[in-house]
């Protein structure tokens, strides 16, 4: 391709990012080359900083900078209701709806016999410990509306209901087979408001 | 948004990139958070490296790591034909065709009275110096087929033709694999005017 090795390296690294094909990578690389030094280095620095400072919340396994994530650390959040999600990336879309003011619990995946992911691979023990030690009245299961997410929700409902805690599930209305990460605020907000008792 | 400040900063910086909206930025940010440390830092490092090592080729103003770009430094390239482009990003698509083995000259923009870009803002003097000192038999004008690009090509043709050097222009016509039904009038008009005898 006769381009400088450092440009080729940047193209390779950009091409690894999700949703970035060769043309997008090239567009971004030339934008960075053309950008002033500070702008480009701010992005590099932001990547370094995020990898150096971000770890998992010791309580809910969301991404956090300190011991607790911003949500667990906030006194404004209702600790009586826990929203269970598969991944940290599922939290921002729920936050954007403004329909939920409780806390979260991140499982770190979903049950999938196909991929060999069982209950012990998820933060389920830690969820049960929270239910035992915290004063929780409701668990809202917000795993994805696909096979793995539904399986996980059914499994958790079976575990939690005997504890006398109300177990709810996001209402359907989300396109089945879709991805929670990309749901629009209105649809997702409706789904939270119309959550069903399992 | 209740997300960690360093994550928010990364989202802001990613959102500045061309073609990256808020959802793509989020998808990339979570991918980076989830990626192993080395993968994420390789991208940061590639950005830093490109800003530290890449400058402009002293001869053609393409991006280069040394004094000359890889194309100018290659003994395999035909120095007798210079392809004139607006920006360094216009070079890779031409290289990918495999149809050109000459050298390049990057103008650093195109003439645009609307934006106040005149001949002195482009590397035109340097092009004329190359034509005087190098043994050039053809200049291929490969500025974009839009108003600014055509104006720039016409201006350069008027300057260069009196030097006894052959001046050529990229052909306009229907895109290969395209559909006549959807071609715009100007393109189709050009294709008719420049029709070839079979």
């Amino acid at each position: 391709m006769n381009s400088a090795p450092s440009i080729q390296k940047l193209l390779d690294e950009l091409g690894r990012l999700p949703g970035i094909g060769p043309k997008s990578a090239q567009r971004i690389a030339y934008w960075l080359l053309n950008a002033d030094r500070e702008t480009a280095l701010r992005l590099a620095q932001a990547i370094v900083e995020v990898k150096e400072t971000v770890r998992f919340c010791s309580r809910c396994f969301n991404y956090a900078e300190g011991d607790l994530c911003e949500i667990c650390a906030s006194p404004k959040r209702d600790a009586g209701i826990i929203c269970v999600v598969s991944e940290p990336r599922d939290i921002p879309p729920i936050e954007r709806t403004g329909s939920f003011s409780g806390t979260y619990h991140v499982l770190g995946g979903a049950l999938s016999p196909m991929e060999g992911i069982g209950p012990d691979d998820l933060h389920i023990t830690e969820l049960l410990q929270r239910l035992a030690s915290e004063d929780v009245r409701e668990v809202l299961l917000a795993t994805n509306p696909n096979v793995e997410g539904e399986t996980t929700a059914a499994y958790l409902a079976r575990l939690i209901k005997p504890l006398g805690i109300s177990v709810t599930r996001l209402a359907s209305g989300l396109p089945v087979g879709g991805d929670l990460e990309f749901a629009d605020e209105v649809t997702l907000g409706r789904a939270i408001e119309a959550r069903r008792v399992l």
Side-chain angles (χ1 to χ4, degrees), chain A:
Chain A
M1 268 298 306
N2 267 313
S3 66
S6 63
I7 299 180
Q8 193 53 53
K9 207 189 288 176
L10 179 59
L11 288 169
D12 292 345
E13 296 302 332
L14 288 171
R16 276 183 235 285
L17 299 176
I20 304 295
K23 292 212 171 175
S24 303
Q26 196 151 75
R27 196 172 166 202
I28 294 171
Y30 278 107
W31 185 91
L32 286 167
L33 279 162
N34 199 47
D36 59 78
R37 202 182 135 83
E38 289 69 44
T39 305
L41 295 192
R42 262 208 317 275
L43 171 58
Q45 187 49 41
I47 295 169
V48 171
E49 206 178 305
V50 108
K51 294 308 279 187
E52 274 173 2
T53 65
V54 174
R55 42 183 159 161
F56 291 109
C57 174
S58 66
R59 186 177 173 219
C60 79
F61 300 96
N62 182 16
Y63 288 124
E65 289 194 357
D67 180 49
L68 291 179
C69 74
E70 306 252 320
I71 294 169
C72 282
S74 166
K76 288 181 193 155
R77 309 295 300 220
D78 178 0
I81 170 165
I82 296 179
C83 177
V84 176
V85 294
S86 291
E87 302 286 354
R89 64 168 176 262
D90 298 330
I91 294 179
I94 295 175
E95 287 294 292
R96 276 198 297 272
T97 66
S99 298
F100 183 75
S101 59
T103 59
Y104 291 90
H105 191 84
V106 179
L107 296 173
L111 294 177
S112 172
M114 292 282 286
E115 296 176 42
I117 300 173
D120 293 343
D121 300 311
L122 307 177
H123 299 302
I124 292 176
T125 310
E126 292 89 342
L127 174 61
L128 296 176
Q129 280 165 356
R130 284 182 68 182
L131 298 181
S133 63
E134 298 174 21
D135 194 16
V136 179
R137 64 183 183 281
E138 179 180 345
V139 171
L140 166 53
L141 300 172
T143 49
N144 282 318
N146 55 23
V147 176
E148 291 81 9
E150 296 290 1
T151 306
T152 310
Y155 178 85
L156 290 176
R158 220 165 37 235
L159 278 182
I160 300 167
K161 272 203 248 175
L163 306 175
I165 294 167
S166 169
V167 179
T168 57
R169 176 90 176 104
L170 286 183
S172 59
L174 291 180
V176 174
D179 232 329
L180 204 142
E181 187 185 354
F182 300 113
D184 71 279
E185 289 91 317
V186 181
T187 307
L188 191 51
R190 292 259 177 85
I192 291 172
E193 279 153 21
R195 60 190 183 270
R196 299 170 287 131
V197 176
L198 291 185

